[in-house]
Amino acid sequence: MKLNSKLPKVGTTIFSVMSKLANECGAINLSQGFPGFPVDSKITAFVDKFMKEGYNQYAPMPGVPVLREQIAKKTNLLYNYLPNTETEICVTSGATEALFAAITAVVQPGDEVIIFEPAYDSYIPAIELCGGIVVPIELKYPNYNIDWNEVEDKVSEKTRLIITNTPHNPTGAVWASSDIDSLKNIVRNTNIVVISDEVYEHITFDETPHQSVILDEELLERSMVISSFGKTFHTTGWKIGYCVAKPALMNEFKKVHQFLTFSSSTPFQYAIAEYMKDESNYLHLPSFFQQKRDFFREHLKNTKLEILPCKGTYFQLASYKNISDESDIDFAKRITKEYGVASIPVSVFYNSQRDDKVLRFCFAKQSAELSKACENLSKL
Ligand code: PMP
Ligand code: GLN
C-alpha cells in the first residue's frame, strides 16, 4: 500500500526524544517542560472525592458549568472581563487540543498564517493539516522581541490568522503593552483572527504584568485565547485547558472541539473548579517560579554557559557558543549522555532550523535537581 503522508516532514516531537534519552541515560531531565515537584494534595484529594462521588461519565461538551464559572471569575479578576459561561468558554483536553481546534476552526486551504519563531512545535503541523501556508517571522536573538514592521510587511490579502504566544516558550520573552497596541493596529479593519497562546499567563517575573489580549476590548473581538491548567496547577498529565473567545468565534471553535474529543475528563474538571475557589492557588505562582528562576540562574553562573534573559515561563535559555560549535541537537544529546543533563535544542522550533547555539532548560524542578544539574554543567 502506498501511504501519502499528510505530514511528510514531521518526526517524533523533540520533547519525547529528549525525555526518552534522559530516561535511558539516567540524566536529570530539564528538557520537556513539566514540573518535577508534587502536586498540591488538596487538588488530588478533590479528584479522589469527585471520582468516588460518581462524577465519572461524559462532561458536557463545553466543560462542566462549575469550571466554566471559575474560569470566568478568574478572567474577570485578572483581565477585567467577565466571559459569558454559556457562549464564550470551552474546556479542552489541554492547550494542545485547544490550539488544534482553534486553528482548524479558521484556517482554510491556501490561507496564510503568521507565526513567530522559535515557535511551539504543535502550531505548524496543525496549520499544514488544514492546508494553510505558514509564514514564519523570526524573533531576534538574544531578546526575542517582535519586529512589528516586519509583521506589517508580511501581512497580505491571504493572511487569515496570527498566532501569538506570551509569555513565550521557548525564549521566556514577555510582551509589553506596546506589543498589544502594535498587533491591534495591524489587524484593525482586516479579517485576521488572532490565536493567543497564554498557557504561561501566571508565570511572569520582576512584577512584569502578563499582557493578555483579553485586556483589549478591540483585540478580544477577533481572538481565541488559550490557557492550560497543566501549567497553572503543575498537572501537565491531566490535560485540561480551555479557550475563551467571543460567541461567533467560540461557536466555530466548539464545532471542531465536539468532534475532536467531544469533552474532557470529568473528575479533573470538578477538582480544578473546586481548587480555583481559593485564588491564592494561582496568584502565588509568579513568586514561586521567580524563586526557582533566580536559584537556577545563580547556579548556572558556575558554568561557562551564557545565560539569556528570562522574563516569564519556566524555561531558561543559555548559549553554549563559548564551549562548542557542534549543532545544538548534537550538543544537547551529547551533554545528556556525557554530563547527565537533558535540555531542548532551540533550532527545532524554527522552520529554517536556525541554530544560534542555544539550549532551553526547564527550571520547574526541585532545588536539589537544579543545583546538581548546574554542578554537572560546570564541568563543560
Ligand atoms: N502552548 C505552549 C506554548 C506550551 O508550552 C504548551 C505545553 N507546554 C502547550 C501549548 C500545550 O499545553 P498542554 O500541555 O495543556 O496541552
Ligand atoms: N510544552 C512542553 C514543553 O514545551 C512539552 C509538551 C509536550 O511534551 N508535548 O516542554
Side-chain angles (χ1 to χ4, degrees):
M1 186 180 78
K2 187 167 175 290
L3 195 59
N4 200 3
S5 174
K6 294 185 77 173
L7 294 171
K9 289 180 285 179
V10 170
T12 304
T13 111
I14 192 71
F15 304 120
S16 304
V17 171
M18 292 309 296
S19 277
K20 181 164 175 277
L21 187 63
N23 288 337
E24 283 165 5
C25 303
I28 299 169
N29 190 358
L30 307 188
S31 64
Q32 193 176 22
F34 61 88
F37 35 82
V39 174
D40 187 346
S41 58
K42 278 193 231 134
I43 193 169
T44 48
F46 287 142
V47 177
D48 187 54
K49 168 177 155 17
F50 286 111
M51 280 185 172
K52 285 186 178 140
E53 286 178 5
Y55 292 88
N56 297 304
Q57 308 311 327
Y58 293 128
M61 184 272 277
V64 302
V66 282
L67 181 55
R68 281 183 275 137
E69 272 159 35
Q70 288 302 320
I71 292 169
K73 202 179 99 195
K74 180 178 86 119
T75 307
N76 195 30
L77 176 73
L78 296 178
Y79 312 122
N80 207 16
Y81 175 75
L82 187 66
N84 182 304
T85 54
E86 289 301 314
T87 56
E88 298 182 344
I89 298 173
C90 183
V91 177
T92 59
S93 301
T96 309
E97 193 235 327
L99 284 161
F100 199 92
I103 291 167
T104 307
V106 297
V107 176
Q108 312 231 11
D111 284 347
E112 291 182 358
V113 181
I114 292 181
I115 63 163
F116 299 97
E117 292 191 328
Y120 187 61
D121 72 344
S122 81
Y123 305 157
I124 292 181
I127 297 164
E128 291 183 341
L129 284 172
C130 296
I133 296 160
V134 176
V135 179
I137 295 180
E138 284 186 4
L139 304 171
K140 298 290 176 290
Y141 171 87
N143 288 319
Y144 297 103
N145 295 329
I146 294 181
D147 176 350
W148 289 104
N149 292 327
E150 196 178 340
V151 181
E152 208 165 355
D153 289 345
K154 294 258 168 80
V155 165
S156 80
E157 294 271 282
K158 289 193 186 153
T159 309
R160 183 78 193 104
L161 175 65
I162 299 181
I163 304 181
T164 60
N165 171 216
T166 182
H168 186 256
N169 178 11
T171 68
V174 170
W175 277 21
S177 59
S178 59
D179 291 302
I180 293 277
D181 293 336
S182 303
L183 175 63
K184 181 166 61 174
N185 291 334
I186 287 174
V187 295
R188 186 174 289 139
N189 300 325
T190 69
N191 288 319
I192 299 172
V193 172
V194 172
I195 293 180
S196 183
D197 181 344
E198 302 185 11
V199 300
Y200 300 101
E201 61 179 321
H202 301 292
I203 315 182
T204 60
F205 308 128
D206 310 316
E207 311 290 319
T208 313
H210 166 56
Q211 298 293 339
S212 175
V213 298
I214 300 177
L215 289 162
D216 189 282
E217 222 176 302
E218 194 183 325
L219 265 186
L220 179 59
E221 285 294 327
R222 58 172 75 243
S223 299
M224 292 192 264
V225 186
I226 289 167
S227 194
S228 170
F229 293 110
K231 311 294 163 188
T232 305
F233 296 138
H234 319 312
T235 53
T236 59
W238 294 7
K239 296 299 297 186
I240 304 287
Y242 64 91
C243 176
V244 171
K246 287 289 178 114
L249 278 173
M250 180 49 73
N251 199 29
E252 294 306 310
F253 180 94
K254 282 186 196 165
K255 287 183 193 173
V256 180
H257 164 75
Q258 69 180 342
F259 296 122
L260 197 51
T261 59
F262 179 68
S263 63
S264 305
S265 171
T266 308
F268 291 125
Q269 291 193 51
Y270 279 105
I272 289 170
E274 196 61 33
Y275 192 64
M276 285 176 81
K277 288 183 180 164
D278 180 355
E279 288 130 19
S280 66
N281 286 329
Y282 50 84
L283 294 178
H284 79 287
L285 285 167
S287 59
F288 174 80
F289 278 114
Q290 184 160 330
Q291 271 176 358
K292 296 223 167 275
R293 177 199 67 167
D294 293 346
F295 181 88
F296 186 53
R297 285 171 71 92
E298 206 43 47
H299 283 72
L300 270 182
K301 285 184 188 156
N302 301 327
T303 74
K304 288 198 202 107
L305 293 163
E306 185 192 324
I307 310 166
L308 299 187
C310 172
K311 293 188 182 158
T313 75
Y314 45 55
F315 302 115
Q316 174 65 57
L317 295 189
S319 160
Y320 62 90
K321 67 175 186 297
N322 299 331
I323 302 173
S324 163
D325 54 16
E326 278 162 278
S327 79
D328 63 353
I329 297 178
D330 288 349
F331 188 69
K333 287 186 176 164
R334 186 165 71 79
I335 66 169
T336 307
K337 291 179 200 151
E338 293 178 10
Y339 295 85
V341 183
S343 59
I344 297 285
V346 170
S347 68
V348 301
F349 299 115
Y350 288 93
N351 223 1
S352 61
Q353 279 146 35
R354 180 188 164 114
D355 184 357
D356 289 308
K357 314 280 173 225
V358 173
L359 301 178
R360 187 197 82 174
F361 297 91
C362 173
F363 56 77
K365 304 290 166 187
Q366 313 256 26
S367 302
E369 236 184 337
L370 293 174
S371 54
K372 179 74 178 92
C374 292
E375 190 189 317
N376 292 4
L377 293 171
S378 69
K379 299 183 183 122
L380 272 169

